[in-house]
Every structure is written in C-alpha cells, then in structure tokens.
Amino acid sequence: MNEEVVVVSKTIGGRILSLETGRIGRQANATVICRYGDTMVLSAVTMASTPREGGDFFPLTVDYREPQYAAGKFPGGFFKREGRPSEKEILTSRCIDRPMRPLFPEGFMNEVQVQLKVLSYDRENDPDICAMIAAFASLEISDIPFNGPVAAVRIGRNDGQFVINPTTAQMETGTVNLTIAGTRDAINMVEGGANEEPEDVILQALDIAQEVLREVAGLIEELKQRCGKPKIQFEPPAVDEKLQTRVRELAYDRIKTAHVIPEKLERQSALDAILEDVKLQVLTELETEFQAAIGRGEIAADDLEARVQHKKRLAESEKKIAGVVHDLEREILRRRTLDEGLRSDGRRTTEIRPITCEINIIPRAHGSALFTRGQTQALCATTLGTISDEQKIDGLLPEYYKKFLLHYNFPSFSVGEVRPIRGPGRREIGHGALAERALKPVLPHPDDFPYTIRVVSEILESNGSSSMASVCGGSLSLMDAGVPIRAAVAGIAMGLISEDGRYAILSDILGVEDHLGDMDFKVAGTRQGITAFQMDLKIGGISRDIMAQALEQARQGRLHILDIMEQAMAAPRPDISPFAPRIQVINIPVDKIRDVIGPGGKMIRKIISETGAKIDIDDEGRVVIAATDSESGLKARQWIEYLSEEVEVGKIYKGKVTRLVNFGAFVEILPGQEGLVHISALAPHRVNNVEDVVKEGDEIDVKVIEIDDFGRINLSKRDADVELGRIPARSAGEHPDRAGDRGRGGESSRSGDRGRGNRGHGGGSGDRGRGGSRSGGGSHSRGGGGHR
C-alpha cells in the first residue's frame, strides 16, 4: 500500500491543470484527483471480477456528486445531508458516460463503476471538466480494458474571441458554451449551446477544442507512462461460425424484405416474427442433433452431465441467434443506405418526414402545440407564472433562481411498450435540458416579460428525434402563449453511416437509424444560427469535412422545418392567454417598502386578501403584481402607489385631520406623511378657533403649498377649495388679517409646536424618522407577504 504519489501538470487555458494519483483511494482499480485552479475532483474506478450474465448492454455506471463542503456550504433541508443527485449532477454524469462508453472492448461485460466527488470548488472553474478528465485518466491508468486516452475541454466565446475553459462569469456572458470530449485525433462527444451563432463559428470552436484535447490527452498518457497498470487480458466471446452461417441462410432474405416496411411497429413485428422462427428452427435442429448423437451411442442416454451441457448450449445459442439477427439488420440497413441511398422508410438521405403543426389544442393551458414529424409526436404546453414560481437552485454556486424550465416526459406507451412507471430518468432529464438550452436564447429579458415560464413536452409517439420535436413544439407553444420570443426555433437530428471509406449523412433519423448507425447529431436553432448542439459517436471520430457537411445539411433541414412551423404560426400572439396571470411591475422608493408591507406584514396581506392579487417585493423596491383579471391587478397597483407615493408641491390631496393645535390642523395626506394647515389657510375669512372649521377625524381636501428645507409640509385648505371651485378666487384673496396673523408670531408658534409634535406624535418627518421600528417589522413580514 506504499504506492508512490505521482503528479503531472500542464498549463491549459492560462491555468495549471494537474493530475495526481497514489495518495488516496488505493483499494480501487485506480483513483485520480484532477485540479484546475482551486477546483478539485476525485475519480475512483472499480470493476467486477466476473462478467455480468444475461445482459445485452455494457454495465457501466457513472455517478458524479457535488458535496456542499466543496464550496464551504451546508446542504439545505431538514436533514442537512446530500440526497438524490441534482439535475446538474445527472447531466455531468451523462457527459462523462457518453464519450467513454464506446471505447470499452466489444463484448466486455464486467460491470464498471466510475464514482466522482468534487472535493473543492473555487467558484471560477466549473468542476464538470475536471470530473471528465479525472474519469478518463483513472480509466486509462487502471487495469480495466479501455481504448483511450480520451480528454475533455470547454470552449466559450466572449466579445468575439474564443476562450478555453471559460470561468463561471465568462460562461454567463458568452455566446458559445460547448463541452467537448475526444481523442488525440477526433472528437466523439459535444454538448452545449450558443446564442444564434452560425455554423462556421461552431466549426472554429471544434478546431480549437481538438488542439486542446491533444494536450490534455498527452498529459493523461504521461500519467499512464509513469504509473499505469497493465491491462487485464480480455478475449471477446468466440464466434460460432456454423451457427452464424445457418442463421444467415434462414434470416437474411426475410430481414431484407421486412427492413423496407415503412411503418415502425409493423416492421418491428415482422422482424420479431423472423427472430422467433429462426430460433425455433435452429434450436430444433440442435435438439435433433443431440438426440441423434444419443441414438448413435456417442452420448449415453443417462448421461446427466451431457444433458446439462446441452441445455446450456441451447440457452447460449438462443442468445447468439438474437445477436446474429441484430447484426444482419445492421448490415442490411447500412448496405442499402450506402449502395442505394435509400432508408428503411424509403426516404433519401436528405429527406425529412412529413410534418404537421397544430396550435392551441389544450383549452385551459396558457399555450399549447402538437408537433408531429413522421411517427414522432410531441405535445407541448406552456404555463406562465410569477416570481414565486421560480425554481431555487441550491448547489455549489451561490443560490440563484431559474425563470425558464422545460420538462420532457417519455411514457412507455409512446413506443408501444409496457415497463415500470417511475419518475423521470437520466435520459428524460438530459433531453429536457437539451430542449431548454435550445429555446432559452430567444426568450425575452425578464424586465420586458416578468413571467416565470414552464414548458412541458409530452412525447406521445416516438420513432427518433423526440428531443428535437420538443424544441419545435416548445417554440410553437411559447408563441401560442404570447411569449414574445425573438425568433422561432427548430431542431433536427442527423445520423451517419460510415464503412470502408464511404459515408452517408442522414437527415431526420429514425430510431432504428440511431440504434444501428454511427452518429446521433442534434442541432437546434433559428434562421440566424445555432442555439443548441449535441453529438455522440459510436466510432472513433469523424473528419472536419464530414462535420461541416453534417452542419450544413442540418441547417437546410432546420430551415425547411421552420418554413412549415411558420405556416402554422408566424409570430407570437399579441397578448397572453386570458387564463394566465396579468403581471404589472412598478418601482417604489426603498424607504417606502416598510409602508407597503406594514407591521408584521399586515398591510401587504390586506392588499392580497382584498384584491386577490399576488404581490412580490424585492429589496430594491421592485414590485411585481400578478392577477388573473386586470381589475384586481389595477386595484392592487393603485393601493401600492398610494402607500408609496411621494408628496408633490401643488398637488391636491384628500387627507384626514389627525390632531388640532391652536395655530392650525395636522392632516395626514399619505400614509405616514402629515402636513400642517395653518389657521390662516383654513378658510377665506378670519378664523378665531380651528375647531370652528375642522374637527379631528374630518376628511378634507388640501393643497401642498411647499415642502421646506426641513422636509416639513405646508398645506392649504383654502387654496384647495378655490382650485376645486368651492369658493371664488376673489374671496380667497380678501383676508385682512392674514399678514397680521403671521406677524403676531403664528409662524413662530407653529414652528415650535411642530417640532415638538413631530417627536411626540410621530407625524410628518418625525414619522419617517420613527420608521426604524416599522422597518424591523416590515423586514420580518416580507417573507410572509410574498417578499423574497
């Protein structure tokens, strides 16, 4: 256990990338810590000692986790412990799994687990690239059979310049964000998005990525040379040539005939029948052969061991027959495509299946669309919500909120199958994230459209490219909901058949072409450029020329689909659904927030209760009012504007007399804001007693005459009555003792009393000064009142 600690490092993108092994996790087949800046990720790989029996796929599990301690944080929730993987963790696990899975030997069935933990996160370098490199390096130096090395890099673009492994801040402002994996010579996985960038920009990004991949792969090879373990010897299962020949004789022509059936379920039913017939015939022949051997005395009739071996041979042969039939299907599909340029459903390589678009088919949804392409069908529904509907994301990054969500559902009936009904799996989460990434760049800014938006894509039929159908249907449903998106978005899935130096690029692939082909290449975007990009290869890599041709063919297909979509809906609806909340946004002074919320949230709860509106206030005074009808929203808005209004000189207010003094009356004209009506400004005639004109509790109209340097508000009832036509202007001017009142010290008395009154009564500016206690109550109440 005294292994040497080995560290190799290289400068990548202006920062040191280092790989370390030998210090921890030494009982695993291999462990590697990848460090980039102060971000560190541990990868540990282990392998089962024996093959898994009965499986028809390679049992590889990748589990990536981001424990909160890596960023010096506590997990949220009651238990204060990490639970099920987050969406970010699942998507990163998929990005690690996809490029490495094709590089294990064909027929290798020992279970392999790759477990990754983020040990440290510096808030600049996203740990996902470190995790990918750590996983690839740990497999490379282990004794597990693996045809690497494979490396990873992220390419961004800021201010027109490409950036290698951009920081978190650069990713937020960049126009390209591509996660890329590949070998020294070829890229085999791409995942990412762009802000309507043209195809040539994406190609440039891939060219830069290939250069960086060579450097990172070289670093992994250096680590392997210094401490790599010898790979275990793996022998692929022996080929039963006799069985293979017999199955080919029985099945080839029948499969070739069934292969051209255009309808998916009918074709699959014919292929299943062929498989069962071939199994029955071949297994019957093997049984006849065994009985003949007993009859000839070559095997004793009571030889139990021989009978056990015979049953085992029959079981193995049944499995092999299925494998041979599968290989024949693959051979026939690929030959027909390359030799004749025809596909299973009779299309040419560039043809796209028939498309129909139906809008507004769900009456109560805020927006809906049914997008059908061949036998792939997506029903998309858009819901508009308020700020309180945003999704809080609590991960390694500081807590933030998502305003746009796209959820993808893939029920088993969509492919005519019966399987356990569970929650969304990794595939559904991955497809939903891809479609969400495709639509996000065209959404309006939250300041212009302050809604939380959720799109749900229900896959009702599937025969290839359901994620891209979700993009098309999602775009149409957003437009139907009245979301002012910048442009319509369409997506298309491309495929590749490549053999013996020949290749064919396929537009709008079927499920069988995805399964039996060499590439699944999804591109989504507008007429202007690409918004989302995903590529997975089952072969070592493809040339730049093939990539460029695939991108151009995808662009032509995307434009064709957009033409059809625009026939159904050319632009977003001018107004949102009558069932969607009407949102208004106003800004109030920060010092007025406490007045709107009220002590303990009393005022805002009253507004919500009496108007039925939903109200959210942030710390900067931004108020979002949502209501299902415009009248409720208007009522709530007027109430809040009244509570937060600033006093204006020259404006008439209806106020309430709060107290009387010998030189005038104090009147509350706005919540918490009082002014003084001097006795000389109560009426057009001389007033001896204030009580002769007004009484405490009266509601009167007053005009703001001035706001002095101390913030004190001077009011006039007389001037308001004149302006409202209640008394003639001449009468107001005939006040023989007005100057005398002031000269006898009325102003001095008013000033002195007002100063005392502000402190004792809490009116006018004194009330504002007293707001400390109210502010405390208001702050406490914001959570209860809908304030975040």
Side-chain angles (χ1 to χ4, degrees), residues 622-691:
R622 185 171 183 263
V623 182
V624 180
I625 305 165
T628 52
D629 63 275
S630 56
E631 184 178 343
S632 297
L634 180 61
K635 185 178 178 181
R637 177 176 183 149
Q638 290 173 339
W639 199 332
I640 292 170
E641 287 177 339
Y642 169 71
L643 292 172
S644 61
E645 187 177 352
E646 295 282 0
V647 175
E648 296 180 30
V649 174
K651 187 173 180 179
I652 294 176
Y653 294 88
K654 181 175 285 295
K656 184 176 182 179
V657 178
T658 58
R659 63 192 175 101
L660 304 178
V661 291
N662 59 359
F663 53 82
F666 284 96
V667 180
E668 184 180 49
I669 57 175
L670 289 174
Q673 300 191 63
E674 288 183 345
L676 174 69
V677 182
H678 190 265
I679 192 170
S680 63
L682 282 170
H685 54 80
R686 180 183 176 86
V687 176
N688 293 319
N689 295 303
V690 176
E691 293 87 347

Side-chain angles (χ1 to χ4, degrees), residues 286-459:
L286 291 175
E287 181 64 32
T288 301
E289 181 183 318
F290 180 73
Q291 295 299 331
I294 293 175
R296 294 192 299 268
E298 296 172 4
I299 300 173
D302 58 353
D303 189 341
L304 295 179
E305 179 62 26
R307 291 187 178 276
V308 169
Q309 291 300 319
H310 173 62
K311 287 185 178 181
K312 185 177 179 180
R313 183 190 176 195
L314 290 177
E316 291 176 351
S317 297
E318 185 174 6
K319 186 177 178 180
K320 289 178 180 179
I321 291 167
V324 174
V325 169
H326 174 274
D327 291 343
L328 290 175
E329 290 179 42
R330 183 175 186 274
E331 177 187 331
I332 290 167
L333 179 143
R334 297 167 72 87
R335 280 190 178 179
R336 187 169 191 246
T337 303
L338 292 173
D339 295 344
E340 304 174 38
L342 294 175
R343 300 155 68 177
S344 295
D345 57 359
R347 286 182 292 149
R348 294 287 177 180
T349 57
T350 59
E351 284 186 70
I352 294 172
R353 289 171 289 177
I355 294 172
T356 59
C357 304
E358 300 174 61
I359 309 299
N360 193 27
I361 66 171
I362 305 178
R364 287 279 175 164
H366 299 163
S368 61
L370 181 66
F371 181 86
T372 306
R373 177 165 48 197
Q375 290 182 289
T376 297
Q377 188 177 70
L379 174 63
C380 296
T382 294
T383 306
L384 303 179
T386 64
I387 286 177
S388 59
D389 294 312
E390 294 175 356
Q391 182 183 20
K392 182 172 76 171
I393 307 297
D394 184 19
L396 292 184
L397 286 171
E399 183 181 288
Y400 67 97
Y401 292 84
K402 279 182 69 175
K403 290 189 70 70
F404 175 56
L405 305 93
L406 192 149
H407 295 145
Y408 168 100
N409 296 320
F410 191 85
S412 56
F413 70 76
S414 66
V415 287
E417 294 179 358
V418 174
R419 60 170 183 253
I421 299 173
R422 300 190 178 98
R426 290 189 172 194
R427 178 182 178 276
E428 285 89 340
I429 290 171
H431 279 31
L434 176 61
E436 180 179 298
R437 192 184 309 123
L439 294 172
K440 189 175 179 180
V442 301
L443 294 175
H445 192 277
D447 289 344
D448 302 322
F449 193 76
Y451 288 87
T452 300
I453 305 170
R454 181 183 185 230
V455 176
V456 178
S457 175
E458 304 281 2
I459 303 303

Side-chain angles (χ1 to χ4, degrees), residues 250-261:
L250 294 171
Y252 186 87
D253 291 337
R254 294 179 64 188
I255 292 174
K256 195 172 181 179
T257 301
H259 174 72
V260 298
I261 298 173

